[in-house]
Amino acid sequence: MQKIDGGYVLVSQKALLLLKAQISTRVLTTNEARGILGLLEMRSIRKAAEALRGKNKRGRALIPNYSAKELSKLTNLPFRIASKVFKAANSSDFFASEKGKLIPVPRRIIRFLAKCEKRSTILVLLTYLERGMSLDKGKIKNAGTAKASLIASQTGLTLRSVRTARAELLELGIITPDTTKYQRKLNRDGAYFTINLSWNENKKTVRVINSALSTGLLVVPSIACPVDNSKIPVHKISPPPIKNSTKISPPYRNKISSNEFRNQ
């Protein structure tokens, strides 16, 4: 069975579709959606602690406690907004029902969604999770196809916003690009994608820098180059403009009337 680094949470497809629909129709704001996803991660943390406590068989069962301070720290929301979102999100539980198709959502991606401030990125990534992640006889599948026009029609976003969000997810390494780009396949099914099950936001930058240093793409100089602190040459000031005269130019010929002799 393929493993997901950091663990995963089983979410019903109906709950995921409901959350995506309410974000796209603006019934939920971006902060409220982040609070709901933050609560989902907080519950998964407590379930993992309960499972570990059950294995160790130490002490009595504990009652899980939730606080707006923890939600604020998890989602990077201000405490004032987190407390308001906490009350609204706690009253409406999107993930209580576990009926129907279950989708394994990586917990690291849940934490990323809880901190994401872009509404388009949240909607596009939720669509990729819905179309890519699945359980088949105990095996986790993380591949699928999606057209930008289909995502735009389901989420109410523009094609430009969908492509921008997809480019951001590709840059972060959450999804992988399609290497077999046949136009007929793209027109029919859209681009293939796979969700990176070993993605880690915290170690991504360090991993990229280390790989670049090992392959020689980045070179750290042993001796720093001298810094040129000389003054920048100043150009001369341009001369003042020529003053134009406002006088009218004189006539080009003498306009005095001619003398006439009348007595001949």
Side-chain angles (χ1 to χ4, degrees), residues 104-124:
V105 182
R107 288 179 55 188
R108 291 176 180 176
I109 293 182
I110 294 175
R111 288 194 292 269
F112 169 77
L113 288 171
K115 295 179 181 179
C116 184
E117 298 178 356
K118 294 183 179 180
R119 173 175 168 269
S120 58
T121 305
I122 294 175
L123 287 172
V124 172

Side-chain angles (χ1 to χ4, degrees), residues 101-162:
K101 180 182 177 182
L102 296 179
I103 298 175
V105 182
R107 288 179 55 188
R108 291 176 180 176
I109 293 182
I110 294 175
R111 288 194 292 269
F112 169 77
L113 288 171
K115 295 179 181 179
C116 184
E117 298 178 356
K118 294 183 179 180
R119 173 175 168 269
S120 58
T121 305
I122 294 175
L123 287 172
V124 172
L125 184 51
L126 287 176
T127 306
Y128 278 127
L129 290 172
E130 176 202 346
R131 296 184 63 87
M133 299 298 296
S134 62
L135 280 174
D136 186 12
K137 297 179 181 179
K139 294 182 179 179
I140 297 175
K141 292 185 178 181
N142 60 330
T145 59
K147 295 178 68 173
S149 58
L150 177 65
I151 299 176
S153 63
Q154 290 183 354
T155 58
L157 300 172
T158 60
L159 286 174
R160 182 177 181 179
S161 299
V162 172

Side-chain angles (χ1 to χ4, degrees), residues 83-109:
S83 59
K84 182 179 178 181
V85 172
F86 179 76
K87 295 178 182 178
N90 198 19
S91 60
S92 58
D93 190 1
F94 281 86
F95 307 103
S97 175
E98 296 183 354
K99 297 179 181 179
K101 180 182 177 182
L102 296 179
I103 298 175
V105 182
R107 288 179 55 188
R108 291 176 180 176
I109 293 182

Side-chain angles (χ1 to χ4, degrees), residues 4-257:
I4 299 178
D5 292 351
Y8 63 91
V9 180
L10 290 176
V11 180
S12 64
Q13 187 180 19
K14 292 181 180 180
L16 205 63
L17 289 174
L18 177 62
L19 178 62
K20 190 174 69 171
Q22 295 205 3
I23 297 173
S24 60
T25 55
R26 299 187 184 275
V27 175
L28 288 175
T29 62
T30 306
N31 289 336
E32 290 174 350
R34 291 169 59 187
I36 291 171
L37 292 165
L39 277 177
L40 177 63
E41 173 59 18
M42 289 166 64
R43 290 173 185 173
S44 62
I45 291 172
R46 282 150 179 79
K47 286 183 180 180
E50 289 176 1
L52 183 62
R53 189 179 181 85
K55 289 180 180 179
N56 294 335
K57 296 180 180 180
R58 295 178 181 176
R60 297 175 297 176
L62 299 177
I63 300 175
N65 184 23
Y66 302 93
S67 63
K69 184 178 180 181
E70 183 183 359
L71 184 64
S72 174
K73 184 178 180 181
L74 188 64
T75 58
N76 290 339
L77 288 172
F79 179 76
R80 177 180 58 84
I81 300 176
S83 59
K84 182 179 178 181
V85 172
F86 179 76
K87 295 178 182 178
N90 198 19
S91 60
S92 58
D93 190 1
F94 281 86
F95 307 103
S97 175
E98 296 183 354
K99 297 179 181 179
K101 180 182 177 182
L102 296 179
I103 298 175
V105 182
R107 288 179 55 188
R108 291 176 180 176
I109 293 182
I110 294 175
R111 288 194 292 269
F112 169 77
L113 288 171
K115 295 179 181 179
C116 184
E117 298 178 356
K118 294 183 179 180
R119 173 175 168 269
S120 58
T121 305
I122 294 175
L123 287 172
V124 172
L125 184 51
L126 287 176
T127 306
Y128 278 127
L129 290 172
E130 176 202 346
R131 296 184 63 87
M133 299 298 296
S134 62
L135 280 174
D136 186 12
K137 297 179 181 179
K139 294 182 179 179
I140 297 175
K141 292 185 178 181
N142 60 330
T145 59
K147 295 178 68 173
S149 58
L150 177 65
I151 299 176
S153 63
Q154 290 183 354
T155 58
L157 300 172
T158 60
L159 286 174
R160 182 177 181 179
S161 299
V162 172
R163 293 191 179 104
T164 303
R166 183 178 183 275
E168 181 182 356
L169 296 175
L170 286 171
E171 184 180 359
L172 290 172
I174 297 178
I175 61 174
T176 58
D178 188 1
T179 56
T180 58
K181 294 183 178 180
Y182 298 104
Q183 191 61 40
R184 182 167 53 182
K185 186 266 300 179
L186 292 175
N187 294 337
R188 184 182 68 249
D189 302 323
Y192 286 113
F193 68 92
T194 57
I195 296 175
N196 187 6
L197 301 182
S198 59
W199 179 78
N200 191 352
E201 184 181 10
N202 298 328
K203 298 180 180 179
K204 178 179 180 297
T205 306
V206 179
R207 186 171 63 253
V208 170
I209 293 175
N210 291 337
S211 62
L213 289 172
S214 61
T215 54
L217 296 177
L218 287 178
V219 179
V220 179
S222 57
I223 301 176
C225 299
V227 181
D228 186 9
N229 292 324
S230 59
K231 295 183 178 180
I232 302 174
V234 181
H235 299 285
K236 294 182 179 180
I237 302 174
S238 59
I242 300 174
K243 295 182 179 180
N244 295 327
S245 177
T246 57
K247 295 181 180 180
I248 302 174
S249 60
Y252 69 95
R253 57 186 298 184
N254 193 4
K255 296 295 182 181
I256 300 176
S257 62

